[in-house]
Protein backbone atom coordinates (compact mmCIF):
# COMPACT_ATOMS: atom_id res chain seq x y z
CA UNK A 1 0.00 0.00 0.00
CA UNK A 2 1.20 3.51 -0.77
CA UNK A 3 1.08 4.65 2.85
CA UNK A 4 3.62 2.00 3.88
CA UNK A 5 6.34 2.89 1.37
CA UNK A 6 9.77 3.98 2.51
CA UNK A 7 11.17 7.39 1.54
CA UNK A 8 13.21 5.62 -1.16
CA UNK A 9 9.98 4.24 -2.67
CA UNK A 10 7.90 7.40 -2.33
CA UNK A 11 8.14 9.40 -5.57
CA UNK A 12 7.60 13.15 -5.51
CA UNK A 13 7.42 16.07 -7.93
CA UNK A 14 10.24 18.58 -7.52
CA UNK A 15 9.92 20.56 -10.77
CA UNK A 16 7.12 21.52 -13.17
CA UNK A 17 7.05 23.11 -16.61
CA UNK A 18 4.09 23.84 -18.84
CA UNK A 19 3.06 25.60 -22.01
CA UNK A 20 -0.69 25.69 -22.63
CA UNK A 21 -3.37 27.74 -24.40
CA UNK A 22 -3.55 29.77 -21.18
CA UNK A 23 0.14 30.62 -20.84
CA UNK A 24 3.76 29.94 -21.71
CA UNK A 25 4.68 28.68 -18.25
CA UNK A 26 3.13 27.13 -15.14
CA UNK A 27 2.32 30.42 -13.40
CA UNK A 28 0.47 31.90 -16.38
CA UNK A 29 -1.38 28.65 -17.05
CA UNK A 30 -2.52 28.26 -13.45
CA UNK A 31 -3.61 31.92 -13.27
CA UNK A 32 -5.76 31.34 -16.34
CA UNK A 33 -7.30 28.20 -14.87
CA UNK A 34 -8.16 29.78 -11.52
CA UNK A 35 -9.73 32.77 -13.23
CA UNK A 36 -11.77 30.60 -15.61
CA UNK A 37 -10.21 32.01 -18.74
CA UNK A 38 -10.87 30.23 -22.05
CA UNK A 39 -7.94 29.50 -24.36
CA UNK A 40 -10.23 28.65 -27.29
CA UNK A 41 -10.18 30.93 -30.32
CA UNK A 42 -10.37 30.95 -34.11
CA UNK A 43 -7.65 29.01 -35.91
CA UNK A 44 -5.25 31.33 -37.72
CA UNK A 45 -2.39 29.02 -38.70
CA UNK A 46 -4.09 27.72 -41.84
CA UNK A 47 -7.14 28.36 -43.99
CA UNK A 48 -10.32 26.97 -42.40
CA UNK A 49 -12.79 28.33 -44.96
CA UNK A 50 -13.55 24.84 -46.30
CA UNK A 51 -13.59 23.18 -42.88
CA UNK A 52 -16.73 22.73 -40.73
CA UNK A 53 -14.80 23.53 -37.53
CA UNK A 54 -12.83 26.76 -37.29
CA UNK A 55 -11.90 26.87 -33.60
CA UNK A 56 -9.32 25.27 -31.31
CA UNK A 57 -7.44 25.92 -28.07
CA UNK A 58 -4.21 27.42 -29.41
CA UNK A 59 -0.94 28.41 -27.76
CA UNK A 60 -0.37 32.01 -28.72
CA UNK A 61 2.89 33.97 -28.97
CA UNK A 62 4.99 30.82 -28.60
CA UNK A 63 8.57 31.32 -29.81
CA UNK A 64 10.58 28.07 -29.91
CA UNK A 65 13.83 30.00 -30.30
CA UNK A 66 13.55 31.17 -26.67
CA UNK A 67 14.86 27.70 -25.79
CA UNK A 68 16.26 26.43 -29.11
CA UNK A 69 18.58 27.56 -31.90
CA UNK A 70 16.47 28.58 -34.90
CA UNK A 71 17.99 25.89 -37.13
CA UNK A 72 17.21 23.13 -34.63
CA UNK A 73 13.65 24.40 -34.13
CA UNK A 74 12.95 24.34 -37.89
CA UNK A 75 13.78 20.63 -38.02
CA UNK A 76 11.29 19.71 -35.30
CA UNK A 77 7.57 19.21 -35.12
CA UNK A 78 5.82 21.74 -32.92
CA UNK A 79 5.15 19.00 -30.34
CA UNK A 80 8.90 18.59 -29.77
CA UNK A 81 9.36 22.35 -29.49
CA UNK A 82 6.67 22.50 -26.81
CA UNK A 83 8.16 19.57 -24.90
CA UNK A 84 11.59 21.20 -24.80
CA UNK A 85 10.14 24.54 -23.71
CA UNK A 86 8.30 22.92 -20.79
CA UNK A 87 11.22 20.59 -20.05
CA UNK A 88 13.67 23.42 -19.51
CA UNK A 89 11.23 25.15 -17.17
CA UNK A 90 10.81 21.93 -15.18
CA UNK A 91 14.52 21.25 -14.61
CA UNK A 92 15.19 24.90 -13.77
CA UNK A 93 12.28 24.85 -11.34
CA UNK A 94 13.67 21.68 -9.74
CA UNK A 95 17.17 23.15 -9.46
CA UNK A 96 18.37 20.01 -11.22
CA UNK A 97 21.91 20.04 -12.55
CA UNK A 98 22.60 17.46 -15.26
CA UNK A 99 26.23 16.50 -15.81
CA UNK A 100 28.39 13.64 -17.07
CA UNK A 101 28.43 12.29 -13.51
CA UNK A 102 24.66 11.84 -13.17
CA UNK A 103 23.22 11.82 -16.72
CA UNK A 104 23.06 7.99 -16.82
CA UNK A 105 20.70 8.07 -13.84
CA UNK A 106 18.27 10.60 -15.32
CA UNK A 107 15.54 9.20 -17.55
CA UNK A 108 12.90 10.55 -19.93
CA UNK A 109 9.38 9.15 -20.38
CA UNK A 110 6.89 11.15 -22.44
CA UNK A 111 3.28 10.51 -23.37
CA UNK A 112 1.82 11.55 -26.72
CA UNK A 113 -1.06 10.40 -28.89
CA UNK A 114 0.17 11.49 -32.30
CA UNK A 115 3.75 12.75 -32.00
CA UNK A 116 4.39 14.88 -35.06
CA UNK A 117 1.46 13.70 -37.16
CA UNK A 118 1.03 17.23 -38.51
CA UNK A 119 4.50 16.97 -40.08
CA UNK A 120 3.57 13.68 -41.74
CA UNK A 121 0.30 15.14 -43.04
CA UNK A 122 2.14 18.16 -44.45
CA UNK A 123 4.69 15.87 -46.07
CA UNK A 124 1.98 13.92 -47.89
CA UNK A 125 0.54 17.17 -49.25
CA UNK A 126 4.01 18.25 -50.43
CA UNK A 127 4.64 15.00 -52.29
CA UNK A 128 1.30 15.10 -54.10
CA UNK A 129 1.31 18.81 -54.93
CA UNK A 130 5.00 19.64 -55.45
CA UNK A 131 6.68 16.29 -56.01
CA UNK A 132 8.90 14.06 -53.89
CA UNK A 133 12.02 16.13 -54.48
CA UNK A 134 10.52 18.96 -52.43
CA UNK A 135 10.08 16.79 -49.34
CA UNK A 136 12.25 17.75 -46.37
CA UNK A 137 14.62 14.99 -45.17
CA UNK A 138 13.50 15.76 -41.61
CA UNK A 139 9.78 15.04 -42.11
CA UNK A 140 9.72 11.34 -41.28
CA UNK A 141 11.88 11.64 -38.16
CA UNK A 142 9.91 14.67 -36.94
CA UNK A 143 6.63 12.78 -37.25
CA UNK A 144 7.56 9.80 -35.04
CA UNK A 145 5.85 9.59 -31.61
CA UNK A 146 9.12 8.96 -29.75
CA UNK A 147 10.90 12.06 -31.08
CA UNK A 148 9.73 14.52 -28.39
CA UNK A 149 11.36 12.22 -25.81
CA UNK A 150 14.49 12.01 -27.94
CA UNK A 151 14.81 15.77 -28.30
CA UNK A 152 14.22 16.30 -24.58
CA UNK A 153 16.98 13.82 -23.79
CA UNK A 154 19.29 15.31 -26.42
CA UNK A 155 18.90 18.94 -25.40
CA UNK A 156 18.90 18.27 -21.65
CA UNK A 157 21.84 15.88 -22.14
CA UNK A 158 20.41 12.88 -20.31
CA UNK A 159 21.78 9.44 -21.18
CA UNK A 160 19.65 7.15 -19.01
CA UNK A 161 16.34 5.36 -19.40
CA UNK A 162 14.12 6.62 -22.23
CA UNK A 163 10.72 5.61 -23.56
CA UNK A 164 7.41 6.88 -24.94
CA UNK A 165 3.83 6.05 -23.97
CA UNK A 166 1.34 6.30 -26.85
CA UNK A 167 -2.01 5.46 -25.29
CA UNK A 168 -4.01 8.21 -27.02
CA UNK A 169 -5.72 10.61 -24.62
CA UNK A 170 -4.47 8.63 -21.58
CA UNK A 171 -0.79 8.97 -22.56
CA UNK A 172 0.31 11.94 -20.45
CA UNK A 173 -1.28 10.61 -17.27
CA UNK A 174 -0.01 7.09 -17.85
CA UNK A 175 3.54 8.28 -18.63
CA UNK A 176 3.76 9.95 -15.23
CA UNK A 177 2.57 6.79 -13.49
CA UNK A 178 5.00 4.57 -15.38
CA UNK A 179 7.86 6.99 -14.64
CA UNK A 180 7.17 6.44 -10.94
CA UNK A 181 7.76 2.72 -11.43
CA UNK A 182 11.05 3.31 -13.28
CA UNK A 183 12.35 5.07 -10.17
CA UNK A 184 10.98 2.41 -7.82
CA UNK A 185 12.63 -0.33 -9.87
CA UNK A 186 15.99 1.42 -9.54
CA UNK A 187 16.39 2.08 -13.27
CA UNK A 188 16.72 5.84 -12.69
CA UNK A 189 17.18 8.29 -9.82
CA UNK A 190 15.33 11.11 -11.57
CA UNK A 191 12.66 10.97 -14.28
CA UNK A 192 11.69 13.79 -16.64
CA UNK A 193 8.15 12.92 -17.61
CA UNK A 194 4.80 14.26 -18.79
CA UNK A 195 2.83 14.67 -21.99
CA UNK A 196 2.83 16.70 -25.17
CA UNK A 197 0.62 17.22 -28.21
CA UNK A 198 0.29 19.64 -31.11
CA UNK A 199 -1.54 18.40 -34.18
CA UNK A 200 -3.81 21.20 -35.28
CA UNK A 201 -3.97 20.63 -39.03
CA UNK A 202 -6.80 20.25 -41.60
CA UNK A 203 -6.65 16.45 -41.75
CA UNK A 204 -6.97 16.10 -37.97
CA UNK A 205 -9.96 18.47 -37.88
CA UNK A 206 -11.58 16.65 -40.80
CA UNK A 207 -10.95 13.26 -39.21
CA UNK A 208 -12.46 14.14 -35.84
CA UNK A 209 -15.38 15.85 -37.53
CA UNK A 210 -16.02 12.68 -39.51
CA UNK A 211 -16.16 10.82 -36.17
CA UNK A 212 -18.78 13.37 -34.96
CA UNK A 213 -16.49 14.16 -32.04
CA UNK A 214 -15.98 17.92 -32.48
CA UNK A 215 -17.97 20.89 -31.28
CA UNK A 216 -19.22 22.99 -34.19
CA UNK A 217 -19.99 26.08 -32.09
CA UNK A 218 -17.91 28.34 -34.30
CA UNK A 219 -19.82 31.53 -33.52
CA UNK A 220 -18.42 31.95 -30.00
CA UNK A 221 -15.16 30.01 -29.54
CA UNK A 222 -14.71 30.78 -25.83
CA UNK A 223 -17.98 29.05 -24.93
CA UNK A 224 -17.65 26.01 -27.21
CA UNK A 225 -15.95 23.68 -24.71
CA UNK A 226 -18.70 23.01 -22.18
CA UNK A 227 -18.27 19.71 -20.31
CA UNK A 228 -21.28 18.43 -18.37
CA UNK A 229 -23.54 21.11 -19.84
CA UNK A 230 -26.79 19.92 -21.44
CA UNK A 231 -25.98 21.88 -24.62
CA UNK A 232 -22.49 20.38 -25.15
CA UNK A 233 -21.93 19.06 -28.67
CA UNK A 234 -18.39 17.73 -28.69
CA UNK A 235 -14.77 18.34 -27.81
CA UNK A 236 -12.56 21.26 -28.82
CA UNK A 237 -9.09 20.39 -30.08
CA UNK A 238 -6.16 21.71 -28.05
CA UNK A 239 -2.38 21.58 -27.79
CA UNK A 240 0.17 21.85 -25.03
CA UNK A 241 2.91 20.29 -22.96
CA UNK A 242 3.46 19.66 -19.26
CA UNK A 243 6.72 18.19 -17.96
CA UNK A 244 7.58 17.10 -14.41
CA UNK A 245 10.78 16.24 -12.59
CA UNK A 246 10.21 13.16 -10.41
CA UNK A 247 12.57 11.70 -7.81
CA UNK A 248 12.32 9.70 -4.61
CA UNK A 249 11.44 11.58 -1.45
CA UNK A 250 14.77 10.49 0.03
CA UNK A 251 16.72 11.94 -2.94
CA UNK A 252 14.69 15.17 -2.88
CA UNK A 253 15.34 15.66 0.83
CA UNK A 254 19.03 14.84 0.45
CA UNK A 255 19.47 17.70 -2.01
CA UNK A 256 17.06 19.97 -0.10
CA UNK A 257 14.73 20.28 -3.10
CA UNK A 258 11.28 21.80 -2.78
CA UNK A 259 8.56 19.17 -3.05
CA UNK A 260 5.27 20.00 -4.76
CA UNK A 261 3.38 16.75 -4.26
CA UNK A 262 3.72 12.99 -4.14
CA UNK A 263 2.49 10.53 -6.77
CA UNK A 264 0.75 8.26 -4.30
CA UNK A 265 -1.09 5.98 -6.72
CA UNK A 266 -1.66 5.16 -10.36
CA UNK A 267 -3.35 2.52 -12.48
CA UNK A 268 -4.56 1.76 -15.99
CA UNK A 269 -7.36 -0.39 -17.37
CA UNK A 270 -9.09 -1.34 -20.60
CA UNK A 271 -12.75 -0.84 -21.45
CA UNK A 272 -12.51 -3.60 -24.06
CA UNK A 273 -15.66 -2.05 -25.48
CA UNK A 274 -15.21 0.20 -28.54
CA UNK A 275 -12.39 1.90 -30.42
CA UNK A 276 -13.77 5.42 -29.91
CA UNK A 277 -16.80 5.31 -27.60
CA UNK A 278 -16.53 4.85 -23.81
CA UNK A 279 -18.22 2.01 -22.01
CA UNK A 280 -21.55 3.71 -21.18
CA UNK A 281 -21.58 2.15 -17.70
CA UNK A 282 -18.07 3.39 -16.92
CA UNK A 283 -16.86 -0.03 -15.77
CA UNK A 284 -13.34 0.24 -17.23
CA UNK A 285 -12.85 3.81 -16.03
CA UNK A 286 -14.12 2.78 -12.62
CA UNK A 287 -11.58 -0.04 -12.40
CA UNK A 288 -8.73 2.38 -13.10
CA UNK A 289 -9.90 4.61 -10.24
CA UNK A 290 -10.36 1.69 -7.84
CA UNK A 291 -6.95 0.24 -8.65
CA UNK A 292 -5.27 3.64 -8.29
CA UNK A 293 -6.88 4.03 -4.86
CA UNK A 294 -5.65 0.56 -3.89
CA UNK A 295 -2.17 1.39 -5.18
CA UNK A 296 -2.21 4.53 -3.01
CA UNK A 297 -3.60 2.79 0.06
CA UNK A 298 -6.53 5.21 0.14
CA UNK A 299 -10.30 5.02 0.43
CA UNK A 300 -12.65 6.94 -1.87
CA UNK A 301 -13.51 9.24 1.05
CA UNK A 302 -9.87 10.37 1.21
CA UNK A 303 -10.09 12.10 -2.18
CA UNK A 304 -10.68 15.84 -1.90
CA UNK A 305 -10.79 16.71 -5.61
CA UNK A 306 -11.28 14.94 -8.93
CA UNK A 307 -9.92 16.43 -12.15
CA UNK A 308 -12.24 14.81 -14.67
CA UNK A 309 -11.37 13.68 -18.19
CA UNK A 310 -14.55 15.56 -19.19
CA UNK A 311 -14.06 16.38 -22.86
CA UNK A 312 -17.53 17.78 -23.52
CA UNK A 313 -18.81 14.90 -25.65
CA UNK A 314 -22.41 13.81 -25.05
CA UNK A 315 -21.46 10.18 -24.31
CA UNK A 316 -18.16 10.65 -22.51
CA UNK A 317 -19.25 13.03 -19.76
CA UNK A 318 -22.18 10.82 -18.79
CA UNK A 319 -19.99 7.69 -18.77
CA UNK A 320 -17.41 9.37 -16.52
CA UNK A 321 -20.14 10.55 -14.17
CA UNK A 322 -21.41 6.96 -13.99
CA UNK A 323 -17.88 5.70 -13.27
CA UNK A 324 -17.34 8.21 -10.46
CA UNK A 325 -20.65 7.20 -8.88
CA UNK A 326 -19.70 3.53 -9.24
CA UNK A 327 -16.46 4.07 -7.32
CA UNK A 328 -17.27 6.85 -4.87
CA UNK A 329 -20.92 6.01 -4.12
CA UNK A 330 -22.34 8.60 -1.67
CA UNK A 331 -19.02 10.49 -1.58
CA UNK A 332 -19.44 11.14 -5.31
CA UNK A 333 -21.95 13.87 -4.42
CA UNK A 334 -19.58 15.46 -1.89
CA UNK A 335 -16.25 15.59 -3.75
CA UNK A 336 -15.70 18.61 -6.03
CA UNK A 337 -14.96 17.78 -9.68
CA UNK A 338 -13.79 20.08 -12.44
CA UNK A 339 -12.74 19.99 -16.08
CA UNK A 340 -9.53 21.69 -17.20
CA UNK A 341 -10.57 20.97 -20.80
CA UNK A 342 -13.37 23.51 -20.48
CA UNK A 343 -10.56 26.09 -20.76
CA UNK A 344 -7.68 24.43 -22.65
CA UNK A 345 -9.58 22.06 -24.94
CA UNK A 346 -8.60 18.45 -25.43
CA UNK A 347 -4.81 18.20 -25.62
CA UNK A 348 -4.83 14.40 -26.10
CA UNK A 349 -1.39 13.16 -24.98
CA UNK A 350 -0.79 16.47 -23.20
CA UNK A 351 -4.21 16.50 -21.56
CA UNK A 352 -3.56 14.33 -18.51
CA UNK A 353 -0.21 15.99 -17.86
CA UNK A 354 -1.66 19.52 -18.01
CA UNK A 355 -4.43 18.34 -15.70
CA UNK A 356 -1.80 16.94 -13.33
CA UNK A 357 -0.40 20.48 -13.15
CA UNK A 358 -3.87 21.65 -12.09
CA UNK A 359 -3.99 18.93 -9.42
CA UNK A 360 -0.58 19.88 -8.04
CA UNK A 361 -1.47 23.56 -7.94
CA UNK A 362 -4.74 22.74 -6.18
CA UNK A 363 -2.79 20.86 -3.52
CA UNK A 364 -0.32 23.73 -3.21
CA UNK A 365 -2.89 26.53 -3.01
CA UNK A 366 -6.05 24.79 -1.71
CA UNK A 367 -7.99 26.17 -4.65
CA UNK A 368 -9.93 24.24 -7.29
CA UNK A 369 -10.32 25.80 -10.71
CA UNK A 370 -13.83 25.91 -12.20
CA UNK A 371 -15.53 24.10 -15.02
CA UNK A 372 -16.43 27.04 -17.22
CA UNK A 373 -19.38 27.29 -19.62
CA UNK A 374 -21.52 25.14 -17.32
CA UNK A 375 -24.81 27.05 -17.23
CA UNK A 376 -27.43 24.41 -18.08
CA UNK A 377 -26.55 21.22 -16.17
CA UNK A 378 -27.28 17.90 -17.85
CA UNK A 379 -29.67 15.92 -15.58
CA UNK A 380 -27.52 12.84 -16.22
CA UNK A 381 -24.47 14.74 -14.96
CA UNK A 382 -25.65 15.58 -11.45
CA UNK A 383 -22.43 15.84 -9.42
CA UNK A 384 -20.56 18.91 -8.14
CA UNK A 385 -18.54 20.15 -11.12
CA UNK A 386 -17.47 23.51 -9.56
CA UNK A 387 -19.34 25.58 -12.19
CA UNK A 388 -17.83 28.83 -13.48
CA UNK A 389 -16.09 30.06 -10.29
CA UNK A 390 -12.97 28.78 -8.54
CA UNK A 391 -13.46 27.39 -5.04
CA UNK A 392 -11.31 27.40 -1.92
CA UNK A 393 -11.08 23.80 -0.67
CA UNK A 394 -8.43 22.01 1.37
CA UNK A 395 -6.94 19.49 -1.06
CA UNK A 396 -4.79 16.74 0.45
CA UNK A 397 -5.40 14.16 -2.28
CA UNK A 398 -6.40 14.80 -5.89
CA UNK A 399 -7.43 12.16 -8.42
CA UNK A 400 -6.73 12.75 -12.12
CA UNK A 401 -8.66 10.86 -14.82
CA UNK A 402 -7.62 10.33 -18.45
CA UNK A 403 -9.52 8.09 -20.86
CA UNK A 404 -8.30 7.44 -24.39
CA UNK A 405 -9.33 5.97 -27.71
CA UNK A 406 -9.17 2.20 -27.66
CA UNK A 407 -10.77 2.20 -24.22
CA UNK A 408 -7.45 2.93 -22.52
CA UNK A 409 -7.94 4.44 -19.07
CA UNK A 410 -5.32 5.96 -16.78
CA UNK A 411 -5.79 7.31 -13.28
CA UNK A 412 -3.25 9.19 -11.18
CA UNK A 413 -3.53 10.18 -7.51
CA UNK A 414 -1.43 13.01 -6.15
CA UNK A 415 -1.02 13.89 -2.50
CA UNK A 416 0.35 16.57 -0.22
CA UNK A 417 3.72 15.91 1.43
CA UNK A 418 3.62 17.26 4.97
Amino acid sequence: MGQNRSDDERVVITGIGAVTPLGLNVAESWEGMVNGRSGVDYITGFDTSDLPVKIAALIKQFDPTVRLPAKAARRMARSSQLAIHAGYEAIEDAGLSISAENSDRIGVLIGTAYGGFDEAASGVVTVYTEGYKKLSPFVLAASLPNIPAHYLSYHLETTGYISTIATACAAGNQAIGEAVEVIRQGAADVMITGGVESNLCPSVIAGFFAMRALSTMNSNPQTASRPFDATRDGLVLGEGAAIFVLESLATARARDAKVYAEIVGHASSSDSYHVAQPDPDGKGAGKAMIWALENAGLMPEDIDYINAHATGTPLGDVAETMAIKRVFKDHAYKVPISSTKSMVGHGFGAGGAVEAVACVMSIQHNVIHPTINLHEPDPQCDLDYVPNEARAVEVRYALNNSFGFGGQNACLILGRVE
Side-chain angles (χ1 to χ4, degrees):
M1 293 295 185
Q3 295 172 335
N4 298 321
R5 296 186 180 108
S6 69
D7 284 1
D8 287 319
E9 296 171 312
R10 295 175 65 186
V11 176
V12 297
I13 297 169
T14 56
I16 313 175
V19 54
T20 76
L22 297 177
L24 301 180
N25 53 49
V26 171
E28 291 176 2
S29 297
W30 174 239
E31 180 274 332
M33 293 176 194
V34 170
N35 287 293
R37 181 159 48 86
S38 174
V40 182
D41 209 337
Y42 290 107
I43 296 167
T44 58
F46 52 86
D47 183 12
T48 62
S49 58
D50 290 334
L51 292 171
V53 173
K54 306 176 190 304
I55 59 173
L58 305 157
I59 297 169
K60 297 179 179 178
Q61 299 178 326
F62 173 66
D63 180 3
T65 64
V66 170
R67 297 290 192 176
L68 287 165
K71 184 177 180 180
R74 284 196 301 271
R75 294 177 175 181
M76 293 181 193
R78 184 173 168 91
S79 56
S80 292
Q81 296 171 354
L82 297 177
I84 290 167
H85 190 92
Y88 272 114
E89 183 187 3
I91 63 166
E92 290 166 1
D93 184 45
L96 181 64
S97 177
I98 302 173
S99 65
E101 287 70 35
N102 67 2
S103 65
D104 282 359
R105 299 295 300 165
I106 300 174
V108 175
L109 180 54
I110 300 300
T112 185
Y114 295 101
F117 177 84
D118 54 330
E119 290 291 317
S122 177
V124 170
V125 171
T126 297
V127 169
Y128 280 100
T129 59
E130 301 181 49
Y132 72 91
K133 291 182 179 179
K134 294 293 185 178
L135 190 66
S136 166
F138 301 103
V139 165
L140 285 183
S143 68
L144 295 171
N146 67 305
I147 296 303
H150 156 72
Y151 275 128
L152 259 179
S153 177
Y154 176 79
H155 285 277
L156 301 181
E157 299 185 11
T158 70
T159 55
Y161 177 99
I162 187 168
S163 191
T164 297
I165 297 287
T167 49
C169 321
N173 225 10
Q174 190 164 357
I176 297 167
E178 297 299 332
V180 168
E181 297 306 320
V182 174
I183 292 173
R184 288 184 182 149
Q185 292 164 10
D189 295 328
V190 175
M191 288 297 293
I192 298 166
T193 185
V196 63
E197 208 76 68
S198 182
N199 275 289
L200 295 173
C201 62
S203 57
V204 168
I205 291 174
F208 278 106
F209 179 77
M211 293 171 64
R212 302 178 186 176
L214 294 184
S215 171
T216 57
M217 295 182 184
N218 294 308
S219 60
N220 192 348
Q222 287 74 35
T223 66
S225 183
R226 46 181 73 183
F228 304 116
D229 193 272
T231 62
R232 70 190 183 279
D233 70 333
L235 62 88
V236 174
L237 294 171
E239 60 177 350
I243 305 294
F244 300 84
V245 174
L246 305 187
E247 54 193 298
S248 73
L249 182 58
T251 301
R253 285 177 170 163
R255 70 181 190 91
D256 199 26
K258 68 173 174 288
V259 174
Y260 283 100
E262 179 179 0
I263 312 294
V264 295
H266 70 97
S268 64
S269 70
S270 172
D271 278 2
S272 190
Y273 175 78
H274 189 275
V275 69
Q277 296 178 9
D279 179 343
D281 295 325
K283 292 192 292 291
K287 286 178 184 177
M289 286 185 262
I290 289 168
W291 293 341
L293 286 163
E294 291 175 350
N295 185 250
L298 297 174
M299 300 297 291
E301 294 76 18
D302 294 319
I303 300 300
D304 303 300
Y305 168 52
I306 297 173
N307 189 295
H309 182 61
T311 63
T313 61
L315 295 177
D317 292 359
V318 173
E320 185 170 11
T321 297
M322 293 282 288
I324 291 170
K325 290 179 181 178
R326 178 186 297 274
V327 174
F328 288 84
K329 299 182 170 58
D330 289 344
H331 188 58
Y333 292 90
K334 301 173 185 177
V335 61
I337 303 162
S338 66
S339 169
T340 310
K341 293 183 182 74
S342 66
M343 294 172 278
V344 301
H346 193 349
F348 295 89
V354 170
E355 289 151 5
V357 172
C359 290
V360 172
M361 292 296 105
S362 293
I363 291 168
Q364 284 282 302
H365 300 287
N366 289 316
V367 173
I368 294 171
H369 74 63
T371 303
I372 67 170
N373 301 321
L374 179 47
H375 301 291
E376 189 177 332
D378 182 343
Q380 295 184 84
C381 299
D382 58 348
L383 302 179
D384 177 6
Y385 305 112
V386 192
N388 303 309
E389 296 288 340
R391 185 182 302 171
V393 175
E394 183 181 3
V395 181
R396 298 161 302 154
Y397 295 105
L399 182 147
N400 187 23
N401 280 334
S402 291
F403 311 136
F405 289 121
Q408 301 204 220
N409 309 303
C411 183
L412 200 66
I413 301 177
L414 303 98
R416 180 180 299 163
V417 178
E418 302 296 343

